[in-house]
């Protein structure tokens, strides 16, 4: 039995900042955006919702994914993992909405999904009319619209608030520590830009992916109605299933970490290259070093040293970071 995601009601900016975010746990925020005109139009009918969006859209083509009914809305890989199981195309948003409405009347519709559209670039005035009440306006809004599609389990290098606008959506989430039980697919070839789990959440093959049973024990789930929102902390894995013939979601990604320190992803790739092939006893030693110096398992590793003697251990000014970056570049170049 999957545990429910904790639900909060009447969330204010203060409650979000002071109570929800510090927990580091997913949170359903009931009715957060029920006041949006977009939600009100979607509640009237799919046609009213499409008309509302079309009235704001321009003629610039937007990218979308489409696939045959056989994939049952699961945008993923081909059987041989050589390419995605869908095709990509472009249409003006107005024309995509017409296609979506046409397919919504079919017993076996094509799978359609326009994902991560920057709203400021495709819907004039949407952000002004549909204001996110608990985030600053500098956080960009993105639109996800399609039919009953399934987005495979993945995570994002950011915090995320996702607001259901049209249709219902089911979120199933896993903490970052479950990465080893999710059977992540190729890193170099991904369906939509981020690595995804190979396990079909709604039809899991536990003989092929036995550790996924442990991931399910740590999972949480919730079904969101139009007007509801969900907060996903940094790097939490999530599977998203749209449940209706016309479904739309608006999300907001942001990251409060410093931007001048380099990419953790790049650091991991370098670690895979330089550490993974070491003998076991050497990997053990470097694991302890990373826990001590990088993840601060034992507190600040230079507390016992005077400031003038800390060197790289205490480096955090822009000048320090630039010197470290130059040293890394020099070392990588000389060893290439």
């Amino acid at each position: 039995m999957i545990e429910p995601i904790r639900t909060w009601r009447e969330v204010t900016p203060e409650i979000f900042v002071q109570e929800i975010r510090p927990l580091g746990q997913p949170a359903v925020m009931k009715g957060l955006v029920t006041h949006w005109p977009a939600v009100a139009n979607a509640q009237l009918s799919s046609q009213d919702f499409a008309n509302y969006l079309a009235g704001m859209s321009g003629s610039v083509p937007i990218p979308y994914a489409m696939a045959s009914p056989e994939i049952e809305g699961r945008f993923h890989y081909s059987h041989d993992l050589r390419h995605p199981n869908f095709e990509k195309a472009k249409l003006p948003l107005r024309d995509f909405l017409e296609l979506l409405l046409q397919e919504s009347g079919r017993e076996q519709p094509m799978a359609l999904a326009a994902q991560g559209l920057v709203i400021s670039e495709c819907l004039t005035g949407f952000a002004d009319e549909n204001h996110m009440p608990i985030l600053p306006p500098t956080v960009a809004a993105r639109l996800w619209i399609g039919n009953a599609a399934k987005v495979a389990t993945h995570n994002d290098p950011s915090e995320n608030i996702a607001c259901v606008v049209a249709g219902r959506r089911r979120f199933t989430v896993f903490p970052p520590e479950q990465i080893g039980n999710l059977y992540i697919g190729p890193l170099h070839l991904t369906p939509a830009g981020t690595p995804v789990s190979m396990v079909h959440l709604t039809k899991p093959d536990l003989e092929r992916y036995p550790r996924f049973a442990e991931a399910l024990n740590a999972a949480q789930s919730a079904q969101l109605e139009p007007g509801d929102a969900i907060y996903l902390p940094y790097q939490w894995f999530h599977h998203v299933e749209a449940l209706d013939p016309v479904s739309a979601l608006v999300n907001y990604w942001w990251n409060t970490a410093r931007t001048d320190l380099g990419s953790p992803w790049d650091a991991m790739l370098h670690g895979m290259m330089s550490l993974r092939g070491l003998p076991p006893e050497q990997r053990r030693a470097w694991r302890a070093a990373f826990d001590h110096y990088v993840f601060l398992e034992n507190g600040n590793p230079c507390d016992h040293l005077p400031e003038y003697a800390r060197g790289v251990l205490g480096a955090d000014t822009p000048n320090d970071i630039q010197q470290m970056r130059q040293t890394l570049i020099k070392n990588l170049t000389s060893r290439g």
Side-chain angles (χ1 to χ4, degrees):
M1 186 72 175
I2 296 179
E3 292 292 322
I5 299 172
R6 182 176 176 181
T7 296
W8 300 69
R9 299 177 186 276
E10 299 181 359
V11 174
T12 63
E14 293 74 23
I15 289 174
F16 178 67
V17 171
Q18 298 172 14
E19 299 183 35
I20 295 178
R21 276 191 76 208
L23 294 176
Q25 291 283 325
V28 172
M29 297 176 283
K30 290 293 293 183
L32 184 71
V33 297
T34 52
H35 62 284
W36 280 7
V39 173
N41 278 275
Q43 295 287 65
L44 294 174
S45 71
S46 297
Q47 184 66 65
D48 285 294
F49 179 60
N51 291 343
Y52 176 74
L53 294 185
M56 299 178 169
S57 66
S59 58
V60 176
I62 56 101
Y64 69 96
M66 62 179 179
S68 65
E70 284 72 22
I71 74 165
E72 298 180 336
R74 187 186 183 228
F75 291 97
H76 207 250
Y77 289 102
S78 61
H79 292 299
D80 61 6
L81 296 183
R82 294 187 181 276
H83 50 79
N85 65 351
F86 55 88
E87 298 178 2
K88 295 181 179 179
K90 287 187 176 182
L91 279 175
L93 181 55
R94 182 179 290 104
D95 295 339
F96 174 79
L97 292 167
E98 290 183 6
L99 176 61
L100 182 61
L101 290 176
Q102 291 173 8
E103 292 298 315
S104 70
R106 300 183 189 275
E107 185 175 345
Q108 292 186 313
M110 289 192 303
L112 297 169
Q115 300 177 318
L117 305 176
V118 179
I119 285 180
S120 62
E121 298 175 358
C122 63
L123 290 174
T124 303
F126 184 96
D128 294 330
E129 290 191 11
N130 301 274
H131 172 65
M132 162 49 64
I134 61 173
L135 291 177
T138 52
V139 182
R142 295 175 181 268
L143 175 67
W144 308 70
I145 184 168
N147 46 24
K150 302 177 182 69
V151 177
T153 304
H154 66 286
N155 63 4
D156 303 310
S158 60
E159 295 179 72
N160 185 5
I161 290 179
C163 306
V164 176
V165 177
R168 300 160 299 150
R169 296 219 177 194
R170 181 179 295 118
F171 283 78
T172 304
V173 301
F174 305 86
E177 293 80 9
Q178 289 301 313
I179 187 170
N181 298 321
L182 293 175
Y183 297 90
I184 302 300
L187 304 186
H188 67 286
L189 174 66
T190 64
T194 187
V196 300
S197 171
M198 297 303 299
V199 185
H200 194 330
L201 179 71
T202 57
K203 298 178 182 178
D205 183 348
L206 295 182
E207 290 188 4
R208 186 175 182 182
Y209 306 112
R211 294 197 310 274
F212 187 67
E214 187 173 340
L216 286 175
N217 288 334
Q220 301 174 46
S221 184
Q223 181 172 305
L224 275 62
E225 305 292 327
D228 295 342
I230 184 171
Y231 168 61
L232 299 170
Y234 180 87
Q235 290 279 31
W236 271 70
F237 289 94
H238 47 287
H239 178 278
V240 188
E241 183 178 4
L243 303 175
D244 293 299
V246 174
S247 179
L249 176 145
V250 172
N251 92 299
Y252 303 81
W253 283 319
W254 77 99
N255 188 337
T256 57
R258 287 175 59 174
T259 60
D260 62 335
L261 301 180
S263 164
W265 178 260
D266 290 345
M268 189 184 75
L269 289 179
H270 190 218
M272 291 167 62
M273 178 178 66
S274 60
L275 300 175
R276 191 165 59 181
L278 294 177
E281 66 275 9
Q282 294 186 26
R283 293 202 306 272
R284 175 188 176 189
W286 280 110
R287 182 182 297 111
F290 269 66
D291 283 344
H292 182 65
Y293 289 113
V294 178
F295 298 112
L296 308 180
E297 291 290 333
N298 305 308
N300 191 324
C302 61
D303 272 348
H304 60 290
L305 299 172
E307 287 192 15
Y308 64 81
R310 292 180 178 182
V312 70
L313 291 176
D316 66 354
T317 68
N319 185 57
D320 291 335
I321 300 304
Q322 182 61 26
Q323 289 184 0
M324 292 172 69
R325 182 176 287 110
Q326 290 174 353
T327 299
L328 284 171
I329 293 173
K330 180 180 178 181
N331 290 343
L332 288 170
T333 302
S334 64
R335 292 168 186 169

